[in-house]
Amino acid sequence: MLISPRRGADRINIRKVLSGVHTTAQNLQRSYGNAFEGLLAYLEWATESARVLRSQVSDRDLEQLVFTPRYKALLASCGTLAGSAQKCLVSGLVQLEVVERIEAFEAAVNALDTQISRWNMRETFVVADSSFYIQNDVKLADLDLHEILDVPRWEFVRLLFPIVVVDELDGLKDASKQRARWRAAHTLGRLDEVLDGHTHGFLHEGVHTPRMARPATGSPWRSSSIPPATCAWTAPTTRSSTEPRPSRAWPAATFGF
């Protein structure tokens, strides 16, 4: 799962806290004098975990990671589960919950690591309006944004596609001028091809060029390595609730160069 940080929380500190809680959850997998002792250890872990997490992640994340329905059931029944008759039930429930909490925190740490590495490089973000794709001398498939923007080859470029631009290009497919029709269809087709039903894509694959390292004299620059690009749905605010969406309704796509 991908956590939602509290306002002002630092991503590195969030990861440290998540990893620490994950480790303490793993430490719960040990022998206890009796099942009730194991239950108390788990409940104490949950209380302490919530204490350190509450300033880092959202209340919704706490509900998913710590305050689960099984946690609430065990807490509510704690006073009636101390007898020997319930030890197998208590032990099984606690062990199952601990295993699932370990898995949940591991998934949260891994998802956060993915996001940190994804947005941890030097990048340039650029948005082009529909006229750029229609009037530019070079079509989208052949664009070299590093050259156009005068960006160093070791720096990543993310080309953003707001939904309003997609809508405009979709409308231009029926334009009276042949160039506008062709360019609009080409751009949308390339966008469709790159996304391929996913939420990110690569417009140009390339070989990583070390920072500031120039090629030999007379040799062309090689494209920098491409980070995975993200897509996020951003519905246009001007569209009425009753107006149908165009057949091509992509998220605000971003491509890496």
Side-chain angles (χ1 to χ4, degrees), residues 37-102:
E37 181 183 340
L39 171 61
L40 292 179
Y42 158 69
L43 294 175
E44 290 172 359
W45 167 85
T47 301
E48 177 61 17
S49 298
R51 184 188 68 81
V52 298
L53 284 168
R54 63 185 300 270
S55 63
Q56 304 296 321
V57 302
S58 68
D59 292 337
R60 182 174 177 272
D61 291 334
L62 283 177
E63 290 288 324
Q64 291 184 310
L65 290 170
V66 181
F67 297 141
T68 64
R70 191 180 293 118
Y71 159 82
K72 295 175 181 178
L74 288 170
L75 179 63
S77 307
C78 183
T80 65
L81 298 176
S84 58
Q86 298 93 354
K87 64 179 182 180
C88 290
L89 172 63
V90 173
S91 180
L93 287 174
V94 171
Q95 289 178 17
L96 177 60
E97 182 66 8
V98 168
V99 168
E100 290 186 358
R101 294 310 93 221
I102 292 173

Side-chain angles (χ1 to χ4, degrees), residues 67-233:
F67 297 141
T68 64
R70 191 180 293 118
Y71 159 82
K72 295 175 181 178
L74 288 170
L75 179 63
S77 307
C78 183
T80 65
L81 298 176
S84 58
Q86 298 93 354
K87 64 179 182 180
C88 290
L89 172 63
V90 173
S91 180
L93 287 174
V94 171
Q95 289 178 17
L96 177 60
E97 182 66 8
V98 168
V99 168
E100 290 186 358
R101 294 310 93 221
I102 292 173
E103 292 175 350
F105 275 96
E106 183 176 3
V109 171
N110 290 339
L112 183 58
D113 282 343
T114 298
Q115 292 300 312
I116 290 175
S117 63
R118 179 178 181 177
W119 299 100
N120 207 35
M121 70 284 291
R122 177 71 178 272
E123 297 179 271
T124 294
F125 292 81
V126 58
V127 180
D129 63 17
S130 57
S131 63
F132 173 80
Y133 300 106
I134 303 301
Q135 300 174 10
N136 190 54
D137 292 338
V138 181
K139 64 182 184 294
L140 177 61
D142 299 329
L143 279 181
D144 184 349
L145 287 185
H146 285 88
E147 180 178 345
I148 294 174
L149 300 170
D150 194 23
V151 173
R153 292 288 171 172
W154 51 263
E155 189 169 305
F156 293 85
V157 176
R158 290 187 185 267
L159 176 60
L160 302 159
F161 262 87
I163 190 64
V164 66
V165 174
V166 175
D167 286 349
E168 291 175 357
L169 290 170
D170 199 58
L172 287 170
K173 290 189 302 180
D174 298 321
S176 58
K177 295 182 178 180
Q178 192 275 338
R179 177 188 176 87
R181 293 198 306 271
W182 187 89
R183 277 296 186 88
H186 165 79
T187 302
L188 292 175
R190 182 59 179 151
L191 177 60
D192 200 16
E193 177 185 358
V194 169
L195 290 181
D196 192 25
H198 301 288
T199 58
H200 63 271
F202 304 110
L203 185 58
H204 291 307
E205 294 281 2
V207 179
H208 179 66
T209 302
R211 179 168 178 167
M212 300 305 290
R214 293 182 175 275
T217 303
S219 300
W221 279 103
R222 302 190 71 185
S223 173
S224 59
S225 62
I226 314 289
T230 61
C231 294
W233 174 257

